[in-house]
Structures are given as C-alpha cells and as structure tokens.
Amino acid sequence: MDENSVPDAARTVLTGEDIERVLTRVAFEIIEANKGTDDLVLLGIPSRGYPLAQRLAARIAATAPGDLDPATLVGQLDITMYRDDLRHSTTRTPAPTRLPAGGIDGKVVVLVDDVLYSGRTIRAALDALADWGRPRIVRLAVLVDRGHRELPIRADHVGKNLPTAKSEKVRVHVAEIDGKNEVVIEGAS
C-alpha cells in the first residue's frame, strides 16, 4: 500500500455486547448437546480461541448445579506444528498446550476457535488432539463461520454465520488480547 492509498473501511458485524450474547447462547447449546457438563472439556485454539473457551467455560460453570470450577473445563491446544502452511507463512510462535487435569481420554471435547474459514486450522487441531489422547466425541464451536471451506469440516456450534467474499478479512478482537471486543470485516465490499 503506498502513502496515498486509503485502507478499505472496516465494518463492525458484532459489537462487544453482541459477542457476549452469542457466547451465552453457544454455552447453552454446548450444555444441551452434551446433556449437562459431565465429561466436558473445552479446548481453545490459540490465540483468540483460548479466551473464547475461557468465557464459554465460565458461562457453562455458572449454569451447572453445585460448584463447578470453569478452570476444570478449559484448556488450550497448540496446533502450530500441525499446520500445513508452515513453510508458506510467517513464523509462528508455538503456544503451550494445556489440558485440564482429567485429560481428554473418553471426554467430550469441544474445540473452540474464533473464525472458521477453510477448515485447515481445525484439521490441524484434530491431528494435534490425536497426539494428546482419544476423546469420546469431538465437537467444534466457533464465534464466526465465514464459509469458503476447503476441507469437509463444519461447526457444531456457531455464533454467527457471516457470508463473506474471499477478498475480505474477518478480524475478531477480544479484550484479553486486543483490549476490545468486536468482530469486523475489512476489505472489498
């Protein structure tokens, strides 16, 4: 971009309030699909999937009878070394994989990510997950599904379906990383 060009305007598709409402709905969908919270594990995919998983875990724990600690539900799954685009992309710093104390064997694992696009990130997550154990069921929850799949992967829980052009970029901002909560589309309109 040269100094005279003007960047394409970004348009907000989810405000912070919208994101909170969507996460509450998705948390209830997860509880319903699992028929409760037994054997449930939420694994966030770095970087923005992890704070979203933490928020979902807090909502799920708040609805559970008794004292369910959200920390027992949530973990982080690093997929860096499982990506098929490592040699084509900029250097990525691996994030630590952190599993809940009970592990994932025999559990219902919900992978949590911010945007579902081609499906390649989730394919990498499934490969990484296999190295850590054997869940009973694996589900996928995403804040935004923007389409344009390259692999036969679909989300079980979607915050917002957002049809986009391939030339557009979907940016998710979360307060834990970016200092604000919003989803914006940038690029061609």
Side-chain angles (χ1 to χ4, degrees):
M1 185 183 314
D2 67 27
E3 61 185 316
N4 296 323
S5 63
V6 176
D8 292 323
R11 100 184 126 92
T12 301
V13 292
L14 290 175
T15 65
E17 189 174 282
D18 296 331
I19 291 172
E20 295 309 309
R21 193 172 26 259
V22 161
L23 290 175
T24 298
R25 177 179 49 79
V26 169
F28 280 106
E29 286 178 7
I30 291 170
I31 293 166
E32 185 176 347
N34 195 55
K35 296 178 177 55
T37 60
D38 292 341
D39 293 329
L40 184 62
V41 172
L42 305 177
L43 291 181
I45 298 171
S47 60
R48 287 163 183 81
Y50 181 59
L52 293 173
Q54 290 175 308
R55 292 185 199 180
L56 286 169
R59 284 169 172 75
I60 289 168
T63 66
D67 289 330
L68 179 61
D69 180 3
T72 64
L73 297 175
V74 72
Q76 175 173 275
L77 181 66
D78 180 59
I79 63 161
T80 304
M81 300 313 293
Y82 297 88
R83 296 190 61 91
D84 62 5
D85 62 354
L86 277 177
R87 65 179 171 260
H88 302 294
S89 63
T90 59
T91 305
R92 293 177 183 264
T93 303
T97 291
R98 295 183 196 109
L99 300 181
I104 62 169
D105 287 330
K107 306 284 184 167
V108 175
V109 172
V110 180
L111 296 172
V112 181
D113 204 6
D114 56 350
V115 178
L116 178 57
Y117 181 39
S118 67
R120 293 184 181 280
T121 296
I122 304 310
R123 189 228 22 101
L126 292 169
D127 288 348
L129 195 61
D131 280 352
W132 288 98
R134 188 173 191 279
R136 187 176 79 227
I137 298 171
V138 178
R139 294 192 176 115
L140 175 60
V142 296
L143 183 61
V144 173
D145 183 345
R146 65 171 292 193
H148 304 290
R149 217 72 78 237
E150 296 173 5
L151 298 172
I153 290 174
R154 70 167 181 80
D156 299 283
H157 310 287
V158 177
K160 182 163 182 74
N161 285 297
L162 190 60
T164 60
K166 282 192 171 192
S167 60
E168 294 173 314
K169 301 273 189 231
V170 174
R171 304 274 188 224
V172 173
H173 301 280
V174 294
E176 296 88 339
I177 296 170
D178 308 299
K180 61 184 174 182
N181 293 305
E182 67 178 1
V183 177
V184 298
I185 296 179
E186 300 172 347
S189 299

